[in-house]
Amino acid sequence: MLKKSKFAAGVILFSSTITMLGTAIEAKAQATDPHGWAGTGSITSRYGNLDFVGGYPTADTGRKLDDLLIVNRAIEAYLTQMPTVSWYRVWKGVAEAGPATPNQMVVWESLMNAQTLLLTGNTETVYAMSALDLKRDGPTVVEAPPMLLGGVSDLRQSELVGIGPTGADKGKGGKFLFLPPGYTGTVPKGYIVARSPTYKAVFGVRGFLVDGKPDKAVALMKSTKIYPLAQAAKPPRTTFVDGSTSPVDTVFDDNYQYFDDLANIIASEPAGIISSSDRFTLASIGIANGTPFSPDANRRALLGEAARLGGAIARENTYASSDPARLVYPDRRWELLFVGGSATWDSQGYLNTDRRAGFAYAAIGMSPAMVDKVVGKGSQYIWTPRDSNGAWLDGAKSYRLHLPPDIPVKNFWSVVVYDAQSRSMLQNGEKFPSISQYTNPVINADRSVDIYFGPAAPKEQHVNWIRTVPGKGWFPIIRFYGPSQAFFDKTWQPDDIVPAQ
């Protein structure tokens, strides 16, 4: 049986009070009118008293209900449009890094560190990203060298084309041509062509360390060329920005700015990138294609409130989900990032926007390749925000994680720690908040590994220790690159994270 914290007990008490209030309100309504219709008098609700006269709302009640409808719809829009807004901020952060030249590429030359704000990035993989602007540049060419790994996704995080051994180029490299929405011009021969439904797209690739160094992966990435098709005869030089030394912020906001970003997306992209019903929801809060977004002070305040509430609900949805499909093992705390095993979130026969938002609040990259279960290839991820007792992981406390012998990977494994607030790497005063195969951890005699977390290192355990920060919640992700059969059939299972004795 799981132990309940004082916070959890308080939440249960609050929920019980709300339930009893709702029951009392319903009983009163039934006593007044069996149909529950408002007549003359007040409806008591958790939003305050709502007054009616002869069945009509008073002016004050009308204003309250109008505001309530705006907030409710904005919260739903926040949760539903999160993958698109998140990817827009990735696009924007990459486009505005360094000198912000049109065809620049950000390469994390000495690996990604905690200086970069990016949802659950990895410290053991070399990353590179470029923001493609098909409205500004028109059809755009990406010349990819052989054995580059990655792809290009539209603004909805939907993959347009994969690049690499399992991609459209089969690992041989080639010239990719990305066409903007509605393009009707001539398409020249000799290109791997992809039509994008959005004007903005993100080109992202990754590479692995060789002999523990990023040099070869970086050199491969920097042989990439990006330029408008119109300049193919004399391509401009691609600009490279070192993300390891330049601050890059790609994470969306939980305030009014979220809706300002969303309005910019709707104004600059084709209307059809979102469904008709979603377009109505956005239009009802003042965001519509072809209409200036100019909310007054009251509407700005309501949208700011909705973003804060949406962010709060998103945290509950991500960190405290009750979805049984989230658990990797029935008797442990480890959870899946892709709940339901689908990158399109429709494994139940319908689009599960809660599962999609649960992922999108903590991570990016909704690629089918990230959920493919191929033994010895690709990668798999598990994570948890809780210790073995079910309590949140606390930066002021110390813990131990035991990884049993023979960690099931062909390539490498890693454990990276993230800040529960920013969902980016924990800024703990160290360059890399991680332990991996590449950090030369101490291996136990039985080939198992013990990893320690806490504000101070346990005695003689500095090599296998990740510093945490008092006052900050944190969570780890275990990555398995080239997972073996033991991972998939669960004959190998990590222990839960246990509080230090």
Side-chain angles (χ1 to χ4, degrees):
M1 182 176 291
L2 305 182
K3 296 179 179 178
K4 293 186 175 69
S5 66
K6 290 182 179 178
F7 174 77
V11 169
I12 291 170
L13 178 60
F14 175 75
S15 299
S16 299
T17 302
I18 291 297
T19 300
M20 289 188 291
L21 175 62
T23 302
I25 293 170
E26 179 64 21
K28 183 178 180 181
Q30 289 288 345
T32 304
D33 187 295
H35 294 289
W37 297 331
T40 297
S42 295
I43 294 177
T44 303
S45 78
R46 66 188 66 189
Y47 307 107
N49 288 338
L50 304 173
D51 299 323
F52 291 81
V53 177
Y56 296 109
T58 64
D60 182 62
T61 290
R63 285 189 292 270
K64 286 181 181 178
L65 292 174
D66 285 343
D67 288 353
L68 176 59
L69 187 59
I70 292 295
V71 171
N72 283 349
R73 285 181 172 167
I75 289 172
E76 190 62 28
Y78 173 99
L79 297 169
T80 303
Q81 305 304 326
M82 193 187 302
T84 302
V85 175
S86 177
W87 209 229
Y88 168 76
R89 288 307 292 258
V90 171
W91 184 94
K92 193 171 187 289
V94 170
E96 295 178 353
T101 56
N103 63 332
Q104 73 179 20
M105 187 175 187
V106 179
V107 182
W108 281 264
E109 297 186 25
S110 51
L111 301 178
M112 187 174 291
N113 54 52
Q115 179 180 244
T116 295
L117 289 176
L118 184 137
L119 297 179
T120 52
N122 190 3
T123 59
E124 272 67 40
T125 302
V126 184
Y127 286 106
M129 288 183 172
S130 181
L132 306 185
D133 190 336
L134 305 180
K135 179 174 281 188
R136 178 193 64 198
D137 300 332
T140 298
V141 178
V142 173
E143 289 189 25
M147 301 311 293
L148 200 65
L149 299 172
V152 176
S153 297
D154 67 20
L155 202 57
R156 302 170 302 178
Q157 296 197 42
S158 296
E159 188 173 76
L160 298 175
V161 66
I163 300 173
T166 61
D169 64 321
K170 306 302 180 185
K172 297 178 181 179
K175 294 182 178 181
F176 292 81
L177 177 60
F178 297 94
L179 303 178
Y183 181 75
T184 57
T186 302
V187 179
K189 295 182 179 179
Y191 293 92
I192 299 171
V193 179
R195 293 181 178 272
S196 176
T198 62
Y199 290 106
K200 297 178 182 67
V202 177
F203 168 48
V205 292
R206 65 181 182 178
F208 300 124
L209 303 180
V210 178
D211 298 325
K213 298 179 181 179
D215 305 24
K216 290 186 178 181
V218 170
L220 181 67
M221 291 170 176
K222 294 179 78 169
S223 65
T224 303
K225 296 179 181 179
I226 305 169
Y227 53 86
L229 178 65
Q231 299 178 15
K234 190 178 180 181
R237 179 174 296 183
T238 303
T239 301
F240 295 98
V241 177
D242 185 2
S244 300
T245 58
S246 302
V248 182
D249 183 352
T250 69
V251 181
F252 59 91
D253 299 292
D254 287 349
N255 53 29
Y256 169 78
Q257 183 61 47
Y258 183 98
F259 290 100
D260 196 57
D261 289 343
L262 184 52
N264 284 331
I265 294 168
I266 298 304
S268 61
E269 296 290 346
I273 68 168
I274 62 173
S275 69
S276 175
S277 60
D278 284 350
R279 288 201 297 275
F280 166 73
T281 299
L282 294 182
S284 71
I285 63 174
I287 298 175
N289 191 291
T291 301
F293 180 60
S294 54
D296 59 20
N298 181 63
R299 180 64 58 87
R300 285 178 64 97
L302 292 173
L303 294 179
E305 178 186 353
R308 295 292 288 174
L309 289 170
I313 292 170
R315 287 178 181 275
E316 168 73 11
N317 187 37
T318 298
Y319 295 139
S321 170
S322 58
D323 190 329
R326 78 191 190 283
L327 294 174
V328 186
Y329 317 103
D331 61 342
R332 308 194 182 199
R333 302 290 177 181
W334 295 100
E335 302 184 16
L336 297 165
L337 283 171
F338 287 90
V339 179
S342 167
T344 51
W345 314 101
D346 56 1
S347 60
Q348 298 162 294
Y350 52 82
L351 175 62
N352 190 321
T353 56
D354 282 345
R355 287 180 175 180
R356 185 177 65 179
F359 174 93
Y361 198 72
I364 53 174
M366 296 182 183
S367 168
M370 294 181 70
V371 294
D372 288 344
K373 297 181 179 180
V374 183
V375 174
K377 296 182 179 181
S379 52
Q380 293 289 317
Y381 314 82
I382 61 176
W383 76 291
T384 183
R386 300 180 186 274
D387 68 15
S388 57
N389 298 319
W392 301 120
L393 295 169
D394 183 344
K397 297 178 181 179
S398 297
Y399 304 87
R400 178 177 64 87
L401 167 63
H402 180 70
L403 301 177
D406 303 321
I407 299 172
V409 292
K410 178 182 178 181
N411 298 326
F412 72 94
W413 60 268
S414 71
V415 176
V416 184
V417 166
Y418 301 93
D419 184 336
Q421 185 177 12
S422 70
R423 295 92 70 206
S424 301
M425 291 182 201
L426 181 67
Q427 296 182 355
N428 63 356
E430 308 290 339
K431 189 174 184 180
F432 303 117
S434 62
I435 300 291
S436 76
Q437 215 162 299
Y438 294 123
T439 63
N440 298 314
V442 173
I443 309 297
N444 299 326
D446 66 351
R447 301 186 310 282
S448 66
V449 179
D450 289 306
I451 298 175
Y452 300 87
F453 311 90
K459 188 177 181 181
E460 300 178 358
Q461 294 293 347
H462 287 79
V463 175
N464 288 25
W465 166 64
I466 300 175
R467 183 194 302 274
T468 58
V469 180
K472 281 191 171 291
W474 61 274
F475 63 88
I477 293 180
I478 307 179
R479 288 175 168 84
F480 304 83
Y481 284 90
S484 67
Q485 184 61 38
F487 174 84
F488 293 110
D489 64 23
K490 302 179 184 178
T491 54
W492 184 94
Q493 300 181 8
D495 288 4
D496 278 329
I497 296 173
V498 296
Q501 299 301 316

